[in-house]
Amino acid sequence: MSKLVASLKEAIALTGLRDGMTISFHHHLRNGDYVLNMVMEQIAALGYKDLTVNASSLFDVHEPLLEHIRNHVVTRLQTDYMSGVLGSAISSGVMEKPVEFRTHGGRPADIQSGRTPVDVAFIAAPTADPMGNCSGKYGKSACGSLGYAFADAMHAKKVVVITDNLVSYPLADWSISESYVDYVVQVDSIGNAAGIVSGTTKITRDPVGLAMAADAAQVIRHSGLLKDGFSFQTGAGGASLATAKFLKSIMLREGIKGSFGLGGITGYMVEMLNAGCFETLLDVQCFDLDAVTSIRDNPRHREISAAHYAAPGCRSAIVDSLDVVILGATEIDVDFNVNVHTDSTGRIMGGSGGHSDTAAGAKLAMIIAPLSRARLPIVTDHVTCVSTPGSTVDVLVTQKGIAVNPARKELRDRLVSAGLPVRDIHELKEMAEKLTGIPRKLPRGDRPVAEILYRDGSHLDTIYNVPGSL
């Protein structure tokens, strides 16, 4: 028996795809992904129209999607993150309907509940067998965890696995089992594995970044959370990784044994696991090739689904047991609301991803950001777009001081007692404006181009078109 079909064209026909349906994709190959473009090219050639694309994230490599939007093959987008090339076009009004931004936890929750049903899921699988058992850990396009694809595979009406490494049945170490898969297609290449690398994935050498990282590690040390059983998540940015480096030194020096490291895993988190800082890594997405190797070879490096990672409404999600998360920001306001969706001009260049999920779940949610970027202050009266509510953000670390959310008085007292440079966030705002000047208020267009949905599905904010771009 085999679910293998001769071509992608045949697989699409077999799914029963019709105009107006929803198709979905995952983003584990990140900027190296070939599958979304490959599928959309075939769908356009077959004449389909008015489709919704639900993609866990979209990157610059997916720029060809814009032509399908202009030709009305795609009329609706749902995603958790969108990089600058697509984001700039969306901000200019290329779509008639606003993009729906969810979080990495909100997306699987809405797919599971039926709020955003998926008709056909296309799963990019670095290795698969003819019945559809598949994994991201093996093959020339290995990307590691397939955590963001689980909800799609389990709840879509039809599931197509696309692989460039077909192996004999059964693939023993599967991520997604054959019980969810309808068809398998073998292609020459699903992507460039080197393109999965996120951000710098290198520790910063910038003195400002290192200063912030050193202070951030001290915030964690004096928070009362750094003890045996400690759990931690950080991103792939240079300052975040530097914080992990300082934290690793503290943990090894003081003999602290953490329970788990979480999230998108980098090679540096793998080093912390191997050094004995954590018992296990729980991985929804590998950020670099060192992490891919680790999740394949080390049983203490575990693959998790996006729902297990962060979905609200579950009996529990791992973020609910998280002690500390380190996050970034393009803006933060005096009420601690954070923007990670738009740049200083109001154009879309990102998305929440797991930002607001982890901020809501963690006992300590810390933002690391310099006081200014590109001669613009980071701290503002009101962020351009609310991506993460200030009620869930605890600390801002800058190179000029540390601001603590007034709701966390006990934490502030701990940090002051430790001699850390704690300042009121309004003071940090004034310091930033002395460096950069007070920026003029951005004009806003009158047409909504994106809606920001919180992890529970409630509406957080609206992004409008950039004036003059329509």
Side-chain angles (χ1 to χ4, degrees), residues 431-454:
M431 293 171 68
E433 289 174 350
K434 285 180 180 177
L435 292 171
T436 66
I438 299 175
R440 65 180 180 87
K441 189 173 181 179
L442 288 172
R444 191 182 77 173
D446 57 5
R447 176 174 156 188
V449 295
E451 302 293 348
I452 312 303
L453 304 180
Y454 192 46

Side-chain angles (χ1 to χ4, degrees), residues 23 25 36-41 43-44 51-55 57-79 81-82 85-86 89-90 94-95 99:
I23 59 178
F25 302 89
L36 187 150
N37 292 341
M38 181 190 311
V39 171
M40 292 310 307
E41 182 179 2
I43 282 174
L51 297 177
T52 296
V53 168
N54 184 333
S57 289
L58 294 165
F59 292 88
D60 288 349
V61 72
H62 300 128
E63 184 177 2
L65 191 58
L66 293 174
E67 190 62 27
H68 302 305
I69 291 170
R70 294 185 181 101
N71 292 335
H72 302 288
V73 176
V74 175
T75 56
R76 191 178 179 198
L77 280 181
Q78 299 167 335
T79 191
Y81 172 94
M82 181 182 295
V85 169
L86 284 171
I90 296 297
V94 72
M95 290 197 77
V99 173

Side-chain angles (χ1 to χ4, degrees), residues 23-313:
I23 59 178
S24 76
F25 302 89
H26 70 84
H27 73 280
H28 288 285
L29 286 168
R30 302 179 66 81
N31 209 40
D33 175 51
Y34 294 167
V35 168
L36 187 150
N37 292 341
M38 181 190 311
V39 171
M40 292 310 307
E41 182 179 2
Q42 187 63 65
I43 282 174
L46 290 169
Y48 293 100
K49 297 286 185 181
D50 194 28
L51 297 177
T52 296
V53 168
N54 184 333
S56 52
S57 289
L58 294 165
F59 292 88
D60 288 349
V61 72
H62 300 128
E63 184 177 2
L65 191 58
L66 293 174
E67 190 62 27
H68 302 305
I69 291 170
R70 294 185 181 101
N71 292 335
H72 302 288
V73 176
V74 175
T75 56
R76 191 178 179 198
L77 280 181
Q78 299 167 335
T79 191
D80 307 343
Y81 172 94
M82 181 182 295
S83 62
V85 169
L86 284 171
S88 181
I90 296 297
S91 299
S92 297
V94 72
M95 290 197 77
E96 295 178 7
K97 298 177 183 177
V99 173
E100 296 173 22
F101 277 102
R102 287 176 172 78
T103 72
H104 280 338
R107 179 180 184 270
D110 281 358
I111 290 174
Q112 289 174 353
S113 70
R115 185 181 296 181
T116 54
V118 175
D119 294 297
V120 185
F122 294 92
I123 309 295
T127 292
D129 67 29
M131 296 303 290
N133 296 298
C134 59
S135 171
K137 301 174 186 176
Y138 311 96
K140 65 181 182 179
S141 304
C143 60
S145 175
L146 291 181
Y148 292 118
F150 277 69
D152 306 57
M154 295 170 70
H155 298 282
K157 295 172 186 175
K158 294 291 182 180
V159 176
V160 179
V161 163
I162 302 171
T163 187
D164 56 10
N165 186 39
L166 190 69
V167 298
S168 59
Y169 181 89
L171 170 63
D173 184 16
W174 66 77
S175 298
I176 294 168
S177 84
E178 63 185 289
S179 58
Y180 300 113
V181 177
D182 296 286
Y183 308 107
V184 179
V185 180
Q186 184 178 16
V187 297
D188 291 336
S189 179
I190 62 169
N192 175 6
I196 74 168
V197 174
S198 169
T200 63
T201 67
K202 296 182 185 298
I203 294 172
T204 184
R205 295 182 179 179
D206 173 44
V208 170
L210 290 172
M212 292 190 298
D215 279 349
Q218 290 303 314
V219 170
I220 297 170
R221 183 184 186 189
H222 294 288
S223 68
L225 297 170
L226 189 58
K227 54 190 176 183
D228 287 347
F230 170 74
S231 56
F232 178 62
Q233 176 171 335
T234 188
S240 297
L241 293 179
T243 303
K245 176 185 177 182
F246 289 122
L247 186 64
K248 175 185 174 184
S249 297
I250 295 170
M251 293 178 74
L252 293 177
R253 184 172 66 247
E254 299 185 6
I256 296 169
K257 184 79 169 183
S259 55
F260 65 88
L262 177 64
I265 299 298
T266 64
Y268 201 80
M269 290 293 284
V270 170
E271 289 182 24
M272 293 183 76
L273 173 70
N274 294 336
C277 294
F278 298 108
E279 293 285 352
T280 189
L281 296 180
L282 303 176
D283 191 344
V284 71
Q285 173 183 205
C286 292
F287 274 133
D288 59 32
L289 300 183
D290 288 339
V292 173
T293 299
S294 175
I295 201 171
R296 183 183 66 231
D297 298 339
N298 189 342
R300 294 193 297 132
H301 188 161
R302 296 290 304 275
E303 180 178 35
I304 58 170
S305 71
H308 190 186
Y309 170 47

